[in-house]
């Protein structure tokens, strides 16, 4: 073999090596581009396997075609995590919670992510009258009953059936006089993660006696990602011209007043922190926002509120059939709980948007009724839809 041949062979070898390297580099680049980054805590399903009140608890994962995920435990019918893409394509967990079921059970704040019932929000002095009969409930919020009493739906183990990759059905029978409420209430809650990154929560209930029902979900959100700090930079818009003002114990006065001219006006988008420290009596009573908004006339396909994270660009739009929306700005978070990844539930690091009938409805005849009768069906739904604000 002469020198010229050796030189040609060497050039051909170099070309092959360069080509192969380029192809491999291209393949790695494509793999990286097609994968979605996740910088959140990974939950172990085994940490949610426990026996509570003789029933087994588990962690269920819903996933859609877009790669979004919703993690739910049947202990309390809770939304544990919600992974949605941010403006950079990173899957971000936007729900505050714990990395095991024990954390939820022993939490100083019992409502993280939970299904709330039999009656969400407050009932004044733990008393109401139905059909001329007086009922007395456990008072767990100063002089009032909050979110169903001592052991509400957040503290029971629901029967669970995962229908498919994106649907979970939960069932619970609340027996007659449980927590002081009349009637055997048969409840079904369905979580459905849709392909447009909307999480639909549907509620269905029947009773064998006249009773009162007001179901909701108490997920604590931070759209910059759980453990990302304050939510005061989030932008909020609520399509409600009116709200129900409260007294010093956060019970509605019975009046319905305009939000215009008050720091409770979110008819135009505003950050949570812009006016939260205003010396307005309602904000002082709630230690911030903890108020029921009387939603403007709407249908189930109308956006009633939206919230956008200032760091991630993640926007959450809310759709509901309910007449009210309780906006809570995390005013009573006191760093008492160790959450996912070891961080604390610091002051105002998450917010809640609870769709509902109005607080204290059984004692407020001017408010929409929450009475459910035998033969009738309680049926309502709420959707939290996630996208990136352009």
């Amino acid at each position: 073999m002469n020198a010229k041949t050796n030189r040609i062979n060497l050039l051909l070898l170099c070309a092959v090596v360069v080509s192969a390297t380029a192809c491999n580099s291209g393949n790695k680049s494509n793999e990286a581009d097609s994968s979605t980054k996740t910088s959140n805590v990974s939950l172990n399903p085994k940490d949610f396997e426990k026996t509570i009140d003789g029933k087994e608890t588990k962690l269920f994962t819903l996933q859609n075609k877009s790669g979004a995920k919703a993690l739910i435990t049947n202990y309390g019918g809770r939304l544990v995590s919600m992974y949605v893409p941010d403006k950079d394509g990173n899957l971000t967990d936007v729900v505050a919670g714990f990395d095991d079921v024990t954390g939820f059970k022993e939490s100083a704040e019992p409502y993280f992510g939970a299904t709330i019932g039999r009656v969400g929000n407050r009932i004044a002095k733990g008393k109401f009258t139905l059909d001329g009969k007086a009922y007395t409930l456990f008072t767990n919020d100063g002089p009032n009953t909050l979110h169903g009493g001592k052991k509400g739906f957040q503290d029971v183990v629901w029967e669970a059936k995962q229908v498919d990759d994106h649907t979970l059905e939960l069932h619970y029978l609340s027996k007659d006089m449980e927590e002081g409420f009349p009637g055997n209430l048969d409840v079904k809650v369905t979580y459905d993660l849709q392909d447009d990154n909307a999480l639909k929560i549907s509620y269905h209930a029947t009773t064998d006696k006249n009773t009162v029902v007001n179901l909701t979900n108490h997920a604590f959100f931070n759209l910059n990602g759980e453990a990302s700090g304050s939510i005061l930079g989030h932008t909020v818009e609520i399509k409600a011209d009116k709200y129900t003002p409260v007294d010093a114990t956060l019970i509605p006065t019975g009046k319905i007043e305009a939000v215009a001219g008050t720091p409770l006006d979110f008819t135009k988008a505003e950050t949570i922190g812009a006016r939260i420290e205003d010396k307005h009596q309602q904000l002082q009573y709630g230690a911030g926002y903890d108020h029921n908004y009387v939603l403007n006339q709407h249908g189930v396909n109308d956006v009633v509120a939206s919230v956008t994270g200032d760091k991630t660009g993640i926007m959450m739009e809310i759709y509901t059939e309910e007449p009210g929306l309780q906006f809570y700005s995390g005013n009573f978070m006191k760093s008492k709980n160790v959450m996912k990844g070891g961080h604390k539930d610091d002051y105002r690091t998450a917010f809640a948007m609870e769709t509902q009938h109005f607080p204290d409805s059984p004692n407020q005849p001017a408010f929409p009724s929450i009475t459910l009768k035998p033969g009738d069906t309680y049926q309502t739904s709420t959707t939290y839809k996630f996208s990136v604000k352009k």
Side-chain angles (χ1 to χ4, degrees), residues 45-97:
K46 290 190 176 298
D47 293 331
F48 286 81
E49 295 175 0
K50 192 177 180 71
T51 301
I52 298 176
D53 295 336
K55 298 179 180 179
E56 298 300 316
T57 63
K58 293 183 179 181
L59 183 69
F60 299 86
T61 299
L62 307 183
Q63 185 165 353
N64 65 13
K65 293 179 181 178
S66 304
K69 292 182 181 180
L71 277 61
I72 300 154
T73 177
N74 60 326
Y75 174 64
R78 298 172 188 269
L79 180 62
V80 175
S81 290
M82 182 75 205
Y83 292 92
V84 294
D86 68 6
K87 61 185 178 182
D88 297 318
N90 300 321
L91 271 185
T92 302
D93 186 0
V94 296
V95 171

Side-chain angles (χ1 to χ4, degrees), residues 277-347:
E277 300 298 341
D278 283 13
K279 296 187 182 304
H280 188 279
Q281 187 179 64
Q282 287 297 306
L283 292 183
Q284 292 174 334
Y285 283 161
Y289 298 106
D290 195 2
H291 294 81
N292 171 65
Y293 284 78
V294 179
L295 296 171
N296 297 342
Q297 186 173 358
H298 63 281
V300 70
N301 296 316
D302 297 321
V303 177
V304 298
S306 63
V307 189
T308 305
D310 51 309
K311 298 176 183 177
T312 60
I314 294 173
M315 179 170 67
M316 180 176 75
E317 295 174 306
I318 303 170
Y319 304 78
T320 187
E321 300 173 63
E322 292 298 292
L325 176 71
Q326 184 85 7
F327 171 35
Y328 170 60
S329 54
N331 315 309
F332 303 112
M333 301 175 77
K334 297 181 179 178
S335 308
K336 288 186 175 181
N337 297 292
V338 179
M339 313 294 284
K340 299 174 202 163
H343 75 278
K344 294 290 188 72
D345 56 332
D346 295 330
Y347 183 55

Side-chain angles (χ1 to χ4, degrees), residues 163 167-170 188-192 200-204:
V163 179
T167 309
L168 178 70
E169 290 181 354
L170 301 172
K188 184 173 78 170
V189 178
T190 304
Y191 283 93
D192 181 20
K200 183 178 182 181
I201 308 174
S202 302
Y203 304 89
H204 179 282

Side-chain angles (χ1 to χ4, degrees), residues 117-119 123 126 128 135-140 145-156 172 174-183:
R118 181 177 299 197
V119 174
I123 296 179
F128 69 95
Y135 292 90
T136 300
L137 314 172
F138 183 85
T139 52
N140 59 333
T145 298
L146 176 65
H147 292 332
K150 185 176 183 180
K151 187 175 181 178
F153 289 180
Q154 83 283 347
D155 198 29
V156 302
Y172 179 66
S174 177
K175 294 185 178 180
D176 183 32
M177 297 309 296
E178 181 176 295
E179 287 299 316
F181 293 102

Side-chain angles (χ1 to χ4, degrees), residues 8 18 20 40 48 80 147-148 166 189 270 286 296 362 364 367 371:
I8 292 172
V18 170
N40 298 275
F48 286 81
V80 175
H147 292 332
H166 56 84
V189 178
E270 184 58 271
N296 297 342
Q364 304 278 359
F367 289 178
T371 299

